[in-house]
């Protein structure tokens, strides 16, 4: 089931991109990316409200919702080949039913040639998101930004919830444990028994202390090596609580000491530009706990940076790759720069 527009609130697409119907491939035959909302927060263990995340991620921007966002430095339009299929109709009281609906839709979009970009929702939705993409790509890696590992087994008497999706994915065989990269972990959960299980699966989980000591770019370089080893593509999952609560207060389980918003945006841009991303989600944006739209704006910009990176990767396929150090105005205007 799907809706045209958000499940909660007025009918609009992500910053005005054209609408499509995920069940009708002809409506997105010319799109590289199809956005779909998964407004599910029935797996939340602490503060609810992420069901309203897709709505605010789509619309929180001070610029016109005109379906166009040229990136100043990358020199591509992030929204040029993007369509929005609206929200899936999910049921927060029924986790397995909702996850089946999400997985079927994501798998169908991927099968029909588009990159599914899912707006959550709590992190439960990553289980069906990745499982759906894995039906097309048999060897994928996952790069997972989060304060929490989400590798619990049984929490609150249930196998399913936002603290367990990564364990369910590895146990199901959808993703190999040694191709699962986690960035930004911190805090006091999970405990030693779960960490032992993660080590046994061959996971690479980068704690904030390691990121501080080595630098985020060094950690990403290592993650890229692992992600590309024998895999067809990469699924990127971004839990907004990977950022410090000062940069993302509107989330269900905030944990002090995380990445800055700038670090997250740069990392997402690098990943989507340098790696073959075949699916993505952004989760745990909870508007009821936001302040001055800080988290909503960051969530919106995470999506835009991801889409810009993908568009730049497509553009690079026809010529020399874009250099991140290129001066903003080089080659622009009527007075072209002299050759170096």
């Amino acid at each position: 089931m799907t809706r045209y527009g958000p499940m909660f609130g007025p009918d609009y697409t992500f910053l005005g991109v054209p609408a499509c119907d995920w069940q009708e491939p002809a409506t997105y035959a010319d799109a590289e990316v199809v956005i779909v909302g998964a407004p599910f927060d029935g797996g939340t263990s602490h503060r609810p409200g992420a069901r309203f995340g897709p709505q605010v991620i789509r619309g929180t921007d001070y610029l016109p919702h005109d379906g166009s966002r040229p990136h100043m430095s990358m020199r591509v339009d992030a929204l040029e080949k993007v369509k929005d299929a609206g929200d899936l109709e999910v049921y927060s009281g029924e986790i397995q039913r909702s996850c089946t609906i999400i997985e079927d839709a994501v798998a169908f979009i991927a099968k029909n040639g588009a990159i599914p970009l899912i707006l959550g929702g709590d992190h439960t939705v990553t289980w069906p998101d990745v499982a759906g993409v894995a039906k097309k790509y048999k060897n994928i890696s996952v790069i997972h930004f989060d304060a929490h590992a989400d590798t619990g087994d049984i929490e609150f008497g249930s196998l399913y919830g936002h603290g367990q999706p990564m364990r369910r994915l590895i146990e199901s065989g959808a993703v190999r444990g040694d191709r699962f990269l986690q960035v930004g972990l911190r805090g006091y959960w999970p405990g030693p028994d779960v960490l032992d299980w993660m080590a046994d699966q061959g996971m690479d989980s980068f704690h904030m202390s390691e990121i501080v000591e080595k630098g985020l770019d060094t950690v990403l370089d290592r993650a890229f090596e692992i992600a590309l080893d024998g895999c067809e593509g990469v699924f990127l999952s971004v839990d907004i609580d990977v950022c410090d609560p000062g940069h993302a207060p509107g989330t269900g389980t905030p944990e002090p000491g995380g990445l800055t918003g700038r670090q997250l945006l740069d990392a997402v841009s690098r990943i989507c530009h340098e790696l073959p991303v075949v699916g993505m989600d952004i989760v745990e944006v909870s508007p009821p706990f936001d302040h001055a739209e800080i988290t909503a704006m960051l969530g919106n910009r995470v999506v835009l940076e991801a889409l810009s990176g993908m568009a730049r990767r497509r553009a690079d396929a026809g010529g020399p790759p874009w250099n991140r150090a290129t001066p903003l105005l080089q080659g622009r205007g009527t007075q072209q720069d002299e050759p170096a």
Side-chain angles (χ1 to χ4, degrees):
M1 295 183 180
T2 189
R3 290 174 176 266
Y4 293 103
M7 189 170 173
F8 305 102
D11 185 355
Y12 55 82
T13 62
F14 183 82
L15 301 183
V17 301
C20 68
D21 182 344
W22 70 264
Q23 298 174 94
E24 297 293 340
T27 66
Y28 53 91
D30 57 343
E32 296 284 346
V33 179
V34 170
I35 293 172
V36 62
F40 176 86
D41 64 6
T44 303
S45 61
H46 189 42
R47 306 193 307 195
R51 69 181 67 183
F52 305 113
Q55 180 181 2
V56 300
I57 293 170
R58 280 187 173 99
T60 305
D61 194 344
Y62 57 85
L63 295 171
H65 292 195
D66 57 2
S68 178
R69 282 297 181 276
H71 195 287
M72 287 195 294
S73 63
M74 291 195 209
R75 308 183 186 199
V76 290
D77 191 331
L79 303 182
E80 187 176 18
K81 290 186 174 291
V82 180
K83 291 194 174 181
D84 191 336
D87 283 355
L88 299 169
E89 192 166 284
V90 292
Y91 311 89
S92 283
E94 299 184 50
I95 290 183
Q96 288 176 275
R97 179 184 179 192
S98 296
C99 286
T100 297
I101 290 169
I102 296 167
E103 181 177 337
D104 289 347
V106 170
F108 191 85
I109 292 168
K111 177 184 175 182
N112 283 283
I115 298 170
L117 197 161
I118 303 96
L119 311 178
D122 73 43
H123 223 149
T124 306
V125 305
T126 295
W127 172 37
D129 292 346
V130 177
V133 172
K135 288 182 175 179
K136 176 177 180 180
Y137 302 96
K138 299 307 179 186
N139 293 296
I140 60 172
S141 56
V142 173
I143 298 181
H144 167 209
F145 285 81
D146 205 329
H148 311 99
D150 292 351
T151 48
D153 189 8
I154 299 175
E155 304 289 335
F156 302 100
S158 176
L159 287 167
Y160 312 109
H162 75 163
Q164 300 117 292
M166 311 315 166
R167 190 175 189 127
R168 300 288 86 88
L169 282 168
I170 293 171
E171 288 180 337
S172 71
V175 183
R176 288 167 47 181
D178 62 353
R179 294 298 179 270
F180 214 110
L181 299 309
Q182 300 184 306
V183 180
L185 303 188
R186 60 191 188 278
Y188 299 86
W189 183 91
D193 57 332
V194 175
L195 295 176
D196 288 344
W197 180 89
M198 292 163 60
D200 289 342
Q201 311 313 306
M203 298 178 71
D204 281 273
S205 301
F206 299 96
H207 191 271
M208 277 303 304
S209 58
E210 184 177 359
I211 294 170
V212 170
E213 288 298 314
K214 295 179 178 177
L216 181 57
D217 279 334
T218 299
V219 167
L220 289 178
D221 287 344
R222 175 58 181 151
F224 287 13
E225 291 177 9
I226 299 168
L228 292 175
D229 185 8
C231 292
E232 297 177 71
V234 175
F235 190 100
L236 172 61
S237 183
V238 177
D239 185 328
I240 207 70
D241 75 20
V242 73
C243 286
D244 188 271
H247 293 251
T251 192
T253 48
E255 183 65 55
L259 299 178
T260 65
R262 179 71 264 158
Q263 286 177 305
L264 177 60
L265 293 176
D266 286 343
V268 167
S269 175
R270 266 198 71 188
I271 289 166
C272 292
H273 176 226
E274 297 179 25
L275 301 181
V277 172
V278 293
M280 176 183 170
D281 62 25
I282 175 168
V283 300
E284 300 287 355
V285 173
S286 183
F289 297 97
D290 207 3
H291 174 72
E293 300 181 309
I294 294 171
T295 316
M297 181 63 75
L298 180 58
N300 177 278
R301 291 313 195 241
V302 166
V303 174
L304 279 176
E305 285 298 303
L307 293 172
S308 295
M310 293 176 192
R312 186 66 255 177
R313 184 176 177 84
R314 292 194 302 270
D316 286 354
W322 172 72
N323 187 334
R324 299 180 70 84
T326 301
L328 179 64
L329 301 181
Q330 180 177 303
R332 292 183 180 272
T334 56
Q335 301 296 320
Q336 301 295 311
D337 291 351
E338 292 294 327

